[in-house]
Amino acid sequence: MAKTASTGAGTSGLEAAVKNSPRKWVYLFPEGNAKMRELLGGKGAGVAEMTRAGLPVPPGFTITTEACNTYYSDGKQFPKGMWEQTLAALSIIEEQTGKGFGDTKNPLLVSVRSGAKFSMPGMMDTVLNLGLNDDTVQGIIALTGDERFGYDSYRRFIQMFSKIVLDADPKAFEAKLEEARHAAKVKTDAEIPAAMLKTMVGDFKQIAEQASGRPFPTDPTEQLRLAIQAVFASWNNARAISYRNAQKIPHDLGTAVNVQMMVFGNMGWDSGTGVAFTRDPNTGEQKIYAEYLPNAQGEDVVAGIRTPLKIEQLATDMPTVYTEFVAIAQRLEKHYRDMQDLEFTIEKGKLYMLQTRSAKRTAAAAVKIAVDMVREGLITQAEAVQRVEPNQVVQLLLPRFDPVAKEAASAAGRFLAKGLNASPGAAYGNAVFDADTAEKLGKAGERVVLVRPETSPDDVHGMLQARGILTARGGATSHAAVVARGLGLPCVAGCEAIRVDEEGKKMTVIGTKVTLKEGEPISIDGSTGEVYAGIIPVVEATFDEEVDLQTLLGWADEIKRLGVWANADYPRDAERAVKFGATGIGLCRTEHMFFETTRLPIVRRMILAPTRAERQVALDELLPVQRSDFEGLFRAMRDPQTGESYPVVIRLIDPPLHEFLPPYEELLVDVTRMEAKGEHGAELDEKREMLAAVKQLREANPMLGLRGCRLGLLYPEINVMQTRAILEAAVVVGKEGLQAKPKIMIPLVGTVNELSEVRRQLEEAADEVVKSTGITVDYKFGTMIELPRAALTAGKIAGVAEFFSFGTNDLTQTTYGISRDDAEGKFLLRYVDGLPKVDAYGNVQTDADGKPEVVKIMKTNPFQSIDVEGVGRLVEIAVREGRATNSTLEVGVCGEHGGDPDSITFFETAGLDYVSCSPFRVPVARLAAAQAVLQGETRDK
């Protein structure tokens, strides 16, 4: 890829325009390169690199992302000098091509495309065939001798420009096309005759004028100005914002605008257009995965308007073009050392490359490609680890249909149709036929499958809430497929056996009497393309089968510094955690064991006991049960290869005692009802006793009440029983040859005196176990840092504790002064999504386009990703001051943040020893921990 293309004709006009501007806003393709993604966007950097390499790329130029950001900061006005640079660059393209923009004899037509730093497929806008009007179309017809091509290009331009720039309803244009197909008795747009297309041009102009209130613009220069404004504006359209939120792409990057000479795939059957991936984006298999449409333009493939052909058909139709394309695809992948997403057009038998960028892929494909490229010598193991998004790992454990249930569904005649297996995984839910309904029901917690004729970028908000997507049209490279793969959603595309009635909110299976209405259940298999009526239960994937993932995670383990432990309360959870690669338990919540039905009556007797002696009787019953629980955990937590025991952090009872009793309101109703009926007997006495106990234990704010170490100080016999159970369990497994490593964690400590007294009591209990058994256990006492005061006085607390574990869920609640359950239901998510911007009188403010403005109070939900500035600062203080007192202090985190990749990056920089998360997040955390190290190395350089 070393060959460099010339910039062509003289660039003095552009150079002069740049000198008269505060900044260079416009770059000709040969002036850019692959390293300029932030400035030129992925598309602009890609075409620049291909141009410099001498590949067949139509000439053009890129308006920078900086211009977009300045456009917004200047009140949606073009930056000073940008338009002059644009016109100067356009003149250079005219000289290079010998065509004139607006020339009636040899007109230059251009495409105007978006292109951000990070790929956002279909989220922003594109205008093709720009420069056409009633005069220039005649020049196109005269040059090509093809009237049908001329008017087909013209109607496409009006249709696209009107939708993108003039905000016209696309359904109005589709209705006219449907009328024409019906009148001509043809199935596709490509078969509509020239005379009808010529009439359609007039009809389309009328639709555009009705939508905009002004005549359709005919001046090509004005068309270009409006199109560039529309592409800039599309950076902040609803679907782009939703996509960036879902993909965690920053909102301040802006989009570039690429203006490029049009080449035409709709000039006949020796022309065509296509989208390709250099490897299979579903499986990662090393083969060209592509589709193309003869006699069509690129939007036909991407939008799913026509179902395309497999690339192998191109080998038959145009073998020379096919051979050239495959060679270029392989060359680009080797150059970029990553799978590429390519767009190409064939005009009269000549191949043109329009795009190359890093391709979206499923989790399975991402892992396989990364591992394969290491084996092929293209990338290093460290690069492979960085190529896979940690959250993609979750997708490898996606559900699939239960095979028995699927077979039964087939036998029962519930199979409906088969489309393209566009994005893997199985899903079921109630069918919905529009994105708004999918969003509404999905947010309400209902499982929905979005069923559409084809999806458009405007459907993204509904796709984000759906469990799966089914489309009647479109291919494996259509919008629905690309977005679904990026979101990890199952998708069946191009299911042409179904007809979707959007207005009637139903779908029918062609050739049958089967109709599925909105709200009725449907099941789709994105791995096979199959569609079924009703619900087919799903089963989880098997981690053992993911050989490539285990290889990748093995490389990650060699890089990461942080230990990855798991939160597990039962042996089955611990076994799963070990299988996923956990090397310890960071949180065992002992109270969960108390809720089991056989134990709850004993726990309640313990709580209701009027004396300590009676309470001890109940605790004596619980001790062997708890001991058995811990024995199971210790046996499960060991290295599968060496048999060495892993550490197990066990938190002593934390919640307030009333949580183990029935709700106060429920008991009050029962007692009142029974008394009103005049009932007597043991049941009423028991309920009265329990009601009195609950009333005594009730608290106005139980989260900050009698719980954690406070409960242990008032009822020390509970903590003593649990400590004895833990250490006795270690003794039992020790006799089996296992050296258990229990770490006893005392929760909700706010002062060092609380910890000192609880530890003193429990050390006595530990000494008694050692004396009675004659066996020494390697145990440690530590505390959970979940209160701001504990973090701020960590230096003192570390003098008593042997380890810290940050309970970041409660630490976040107590730092913000909010209850998570209440906050997320009432206001917190609105803080993140944005509140309406209102004036002092409550009137909603609008922007220049009349759209309501929103104010974002928080960038992210602090319960999902750590609040670095607030909670994170407390963590850093506690680590620093704790280790200043105790240099051997072990520090970890056991809140939900332990499985969040962004939070893990922070924990790496904060110097924690381990993170602990749910078992299913362990593979995610292993990969994220390695990436955090590599990111740190990059920053240090």
Side-chain angles (χ1 to χ4, degrees):
M1 297 284 289
K3 185 175 179 181
T4 301
S6 167
T7 57
T11 59
S12 57
L14 178 58
E15 291 171 354
V18 171
K19 286 181 180 178
N20 293 324
S21 304
R23 185 175 300 176
K24 183 173 175 63
W25 304 112
V26 176
Y27 287 76
L28 297 168
F29 287 168
E31 293 181 298
N33 59 59
K35 296 179 181 180
M36 299 173 70
R37 289 173 54 87
E38 191 162 335
L39 184 65
L40 304 181
K43 189 185 295 289
V47 292
E49 189 78 357
M50 289 194 295
T51 299
R52 292 169 64 88
L55 296 182
V57 178
F61 56 88
T62 300
I63 302 170
T64 66
T65 57
E66 289 178 344
C68 177
N69 288 329
T70 306
Y71 169 82
Y72 279 105
S73 63
D74 287 354
K76 296 186 177 180
Q77 299 293 321
F78 284 162
K80 182 182 177 182
M82 190 208 85
W83 183 241
E84 290 75 15
Q85 292 182 33
T86 299
L87 295 178
L90 187 63
S91 295
I92 294 171
I93 304 308
E94 289 179 313
E95 293 179 35
Q96 290 176 341
T97 61
K99 300 175 183 288
F101 192 57
D103 187 87
T104 58
K105 293 183 178 179
N106 190 14
L108 170 66
L109 304 184
V110 298
S111 62
V112 182
R113 299 173 183 261
S114 60
K117 177 182 178 181
F118 298 107
S119 176
M120 296 171 55
M123 297 303 110
M124 294 177 291
D125 291 331
T126 290
V127 178
L128 303 180
N129 305 330
L130 190 141
L132 280 171
N133 56 31
D134 291 348
D135 296 324
T136 56
V137 74
Q138 296 305 320
I140 291 292
I141 292 170
L143 284 170
T144 62
D146 190 339
E147 185 181 35
R148 192 202 173 280
F149 161 70
Y151 283 111
D152 182 48
S153 299
Y154 197 7
R155 70 89 187 164
R156 287 172 181 270
F157 167 60
I158 298 170
Q159 182 178 358
M160 185 175 286
F161 189 94
S162 300
K163 175 190 171 186
I164 300 303
V165 180
L166 305 180
D167 201 27
D169 185 355
K171 292 182 181 178
F173 299 101
E174 288 298 329
K176 287 292 182 184
L177 282 166
E178 181 62 35
E179 287 178 16
R181 288 192 295 266
H182 181 74
K185 298 180 179 180
V186 297
K187 292 183 178 180
T188 67
D189 299 346
E191 299 170 282
I192 298 174
M196 283 188 173
L197 292 170
K198 184 175 182 180
T199 301
M200 195 180 296
V201 164
D203 294 339
F204 278 14
K205 284 183 182 178
Q206 288 183 359
I207 295 171
E209 185 170 345
Q210 290 169 0
S212 65
R214 59 179 178 174
F216 187 85
T218 58
D219 178 9
T221 304
E222 176 68 3
Q223 292 172 358
L224 179 61
R225 184 183 65 81
L226 291 171
I228 292 170
Q229 284 182 334
V231 173
F232 279 163
S234 71
W235 172 253
N236 277 332
N237 65 36
R239 63 180 184 265
I241 292 172
S242 295
Y243 188 84
R244 290 199 296 273
N245 286 336
Q247 298 294 315
K248 296 185 177 180
I249 296 173
H251 293 288
D252 59 359
L253 298 177
T255 182
V257 180
N258 298 285
V259 180
Q260 187 173 24
M261 184 191 81
M262 280 294 304
V263 288
F264 299 95
N266 59 328
M267 291 189 73
W269 298 105
D270 60 350
S271 303
T273 188
V275 174
F277 300 88
T278 53
R279 303 193 185 208
D280 189 322
N282 290 313
T283 66
E285 184 181 354
Q286 190 178 14
K287 67 173 185 178
I288 299 291
Y289 182 94
E291 296 172 326
Y292 102 106
L293 273 173
N295 199 19
Q297 289 198 323
E299 288 301 299
D300 296 341
V301 178
V302 176
I305 293 170
R306 289 166 55 189
T307 300
L309 306 174
K310 292 295 183 184
I311 193 67
E312 288 76 15
Q313 185 62 43
L314 180 62
T316 301
D317 297 343
M318 294 178 252
T320 303
V321 171
Y322 174 79
T323 301
E324 181 185 8
F325 170 74
V326 170
I328 289 174
Q330 292 172 345
R331 181 181 173 190
L332 287 169
E333 180 180 274
K334 187 175 182 181
H335 175 72
Y336 284 99
R337 301 185 307 127
D338 194 11
M339 180 177 85
Q340 295 297 291
D341 173 357
L342 310 171
E343 289 183 15
F344 63 94
T345 288
I346 306 157
E347 181 182 286
K348 292 292 185 182
K350 178 173 175 56
L351 174 68
Y352 291 92
M353 301 302 298
L354 306 182
Q355 171 183 285
T356 186
R357 63 184 177 188
S358 178
K360 294 289 183 182
R361 63 206 76 176
T362 66
V367 171
K368 178 173 174 53
I369 291 168
V371 172
D372 284 352
M373 285 190 168
V374 171
R375 292 168 178 160
E376 294 162 19
L378 287 176
I379 61 176
T380 65
Q381 291 181 4
E383 287 175 310
V385 166
Q386 291 175 299
R387 289 285 175 89
V388 180
E389 290 291 328
N391 283 325
Q392 282 186 306
V393 173
V394 177
Q395 296 178 32
L396 289 179
L397 306 177
L398 285 172
R400 61 182 185 276
F401 285 142
D402 177 273
V404 176
K406 181 177 178 180
E407 185 176 348
S410 298
R414 287 165 47 196
F415 173 77
L416 298 180
K418 187 171 183 178
L420 299 172
N421 53 331
S423 183
Y428 67 85
N430 294 332
V432 295
F433 296 92
D434 68 272
D436 291 340
T437 302
E439 181 183 43
K440 177 183 176 182
L441 296 180
K443 284 186 174 180
E446 185 173 327
R447 297 181 68 100
V448 297
V449 173
L450 181 60
V451 183
R452 302 284 291 146
E454 71 269 339
T455 66
S456 74
D458 293 325
D459 292 322
V460 168
H461 62 292
M463 297 171 75
L464 288 169
Q465 298 299 326
R467 299 302 181 100
I469 299 158
L470 169 64
T471 69
R473 298 192 290 270
T477 55
S478 66
H479 171 266
V482 172
V483 173
R485 282 195 292 269
L487 297 175
L489 290 173
C491 176
V492 175
C495 189
E496 297 184 344
I498 67 169
R499 178 175 289 120
V500 178
D501 180 355
E502 295 179 74
E503 299 296 327
K505 293 186 178 296
K506 62 183 179 180
M507 59 167 268
T508 56
V509 181
I510 298 171
T512 75
K513 296 181 180 180
V514 176
T515 298
L516 197 72
K517 299 178 181 177
E518 186 161 281
E520 294 182 339
I522 187 173
S523 299
I524 64 169
D525 190 335
S527 301
T528 64
E530 295 169 317
V531 181
Y532 293 84
I535 294 173
I536 300 178
V538 296
V539 295
E540 299 299 325
T542 303
F543 183 73
D544 294 339
E545 298 173 358
E546 301 296 337
V547 177
D548 285 335
L549 176 60
Q550 293 188 43
T551 298
L552 185 74
L553 292 176
W555 296 338
D557 290 341
E558 295 174 4
I559 296 169
K560 70 178 177 64
R561 183 194 62 82
L562 282 167
V564 177
W565 298 4
N567 301 339
D569 304 328
Y570 303 100
R572 62 179 180 271
D573 298 329
E575 290 167 1
R576 183 182 293 118
V578 170
K579 183 170 69 173
F580 287 163
T583 55
I585 289 180
L587 176 63
C588 169
R589 292 154 287 210
T590 55
E591 64 270 9
H592 285 192
M593 302 167 178
F594 287 171
F595 282 108
E596 294 192 15
T597 54
T598 57
R599 307 173 186 191
L600 195 55
I602 307 173
V603 175
R604 287 178 173 173
R605 274 197 288 114
M606 182 267 293
I607 295 170
L608 297 173
T611 66
R612 177 167 291 188
E614 290 176 273
R615 187 177 301 118
Q616 189 62 53
V617 171
L619 289 170
D620 289 343
E621 288 185 58
L622 285 172
L623 189 148
V625 178
Q626 283 257 278
R627 182 173 59 223
S628 177
D629 292 332
F630 300 137
E631 288 173 17
L633 284 176
F634 294 149
R635 292 188 183 105
M637 290 308 297
R638 51 181 174 169
D639 188 304
Q641 275 74 46
T642 66
E644 181 183 355
S645 292
Y646 290 140
V648 177
V649 178
I650 301 170
R651 184 180 70 186
L652 301 178
I653 188 168
D654 183 43
L657 292 179
H658 74 79
E659 288 196 10
F660 299 99
L661 300 177
Y664 175 78
E665 292 79 7
E666 180 183 307
L667 285 170
L668 184 60
V669 169
D670 288 348
V671 170
T672 304
R673 176 177 51 78
M674 294 172 76
E675 289 178 341
K677 290 182 177 181
E679 296 182 18
H680 300 281
E683 184 181 359
L684 178 58
D685 292 341
E686 182 182 344
K687 285 186 178 290
R688 281 173 173 164
E689 182 185 13
M690 202 169 290
L691 177 62
V694 173
K695 186 175 181 180
Q696 182 183 0
L697 292 169
R698 285 182 82 201
E699 295 174 296
N701 190 346
M703 190 192 86
L704 299 177
L706 183 58
R707 52 170 284 221
C709 69
R710 304 161 191 168
L711 184 65
L713 285 166
L714 294 189
Y715 301 93
E717 56 272 21
I718 300 176
N719 279 350
V720 168
M721 180 277 291
Q722 291 194 302
T723 300
R724 289 185 63 89
I726 293 167
L727 299 181
E728 288 177 7
V731 170
V732 171
V733 299
K735 293 176 179 178
E736 300 169 3
L738 297 176
Q739 299 300 313
K741 298 176 182 178
K743 298 173 183 287
I744 301 170
M745 184 158 67
I746 299 163
L748 210 73
V749 164
T751 74
V752 67
N753 292 340
E754 288 174 317
L755 181 61
S756 296
E757 179 57 17
V758 173
R759 180 169 181 179
R760 183 193 64 77
Q761 295 170 355
L762 301 185
E763 289 282 15
E764 291 181 7
D767 290 342
E768 290 177 6
V769 172
V770 173
K771 289 177 183 178
S772 64
T773 62
I775 297 176
T776 300
V777 178
D778 179 16
Y779 66 88
K780 290 182 179 181
F781 280 108
T783 188
M784 204 167 184
I785 303 293
E786 49 193 325
L787 296 175
R789 192 181 192 281
L792 294 171
T793 60
K796 291 184 177 180
I797 292 174
V800 180
E802 295 174 278
F803 67 89
F804 285 172
S805 180
F806 290 98
T808 50
N809 296 332
D810 274 2
L811 187 57
T812 299
Q813 291 191 96
T814 53
T815 300
Y816 274 95
I818 58 178
S819 161
R820 178 176 185 176
D821 292 340
D822 293 327
E824 288 189 329
K826 296 290 195 308
F827 65 87
L828 187 59
L829 299 184
R830 295 180 65 191
Y831 274 17
V832 175
D833 294 337
L835 296 169
K837 185 178 182 180
V838 298
D839 62 19
Y841 303 98
N843 300 309
V844 177
Q845 304 294 287
T846 57
D847 61 18
D849 297 326
K851 297 178 180 178
E853 292 189 72
V854 296
V855 178
K856 290 201 171 191
I857 306 299
M858 293 180 175
K859 289 184 178 181
T860 57
N861 183 340
F863 291 104
Q864 293 180 351
S865 193
I866 192 95
D867 162 37
V868 174
E869 292 180 350
V871 178
R873 189 176 178 192
L874 289 173
V875 170
E876 290 173 328
I877 290 170
V879 172
R880 182 175 63 251
E881 297 189 3
R883 285 186 173 148
T885 299
N886 180 356
S887 61
T888 62
L889 184 74
E890 185 178 58
V891 184
V893 59
C894 60
E896 290 181 28
H897 298 99
D900 171 62
D902 290 340
S903 302
I904 289 170
T905 299
F906 166 75
F907 296 136
E908 168 67 27
T909 60
L912 270 63
D913 295 303
Y914 67 87
V915 296
S916 186
C917 55
S918 70
F920 281 103
R921 300 290 295 182
V922 165
V924 175
R926 291 166 66 190
L927 187 59
Q931 291 184 356
V933 170
L934 295 171
Q935 289 171 22
E937 291 176 354
T938 301
R939 284 194 301 270
D940 293 342
K941 291 178 181 177

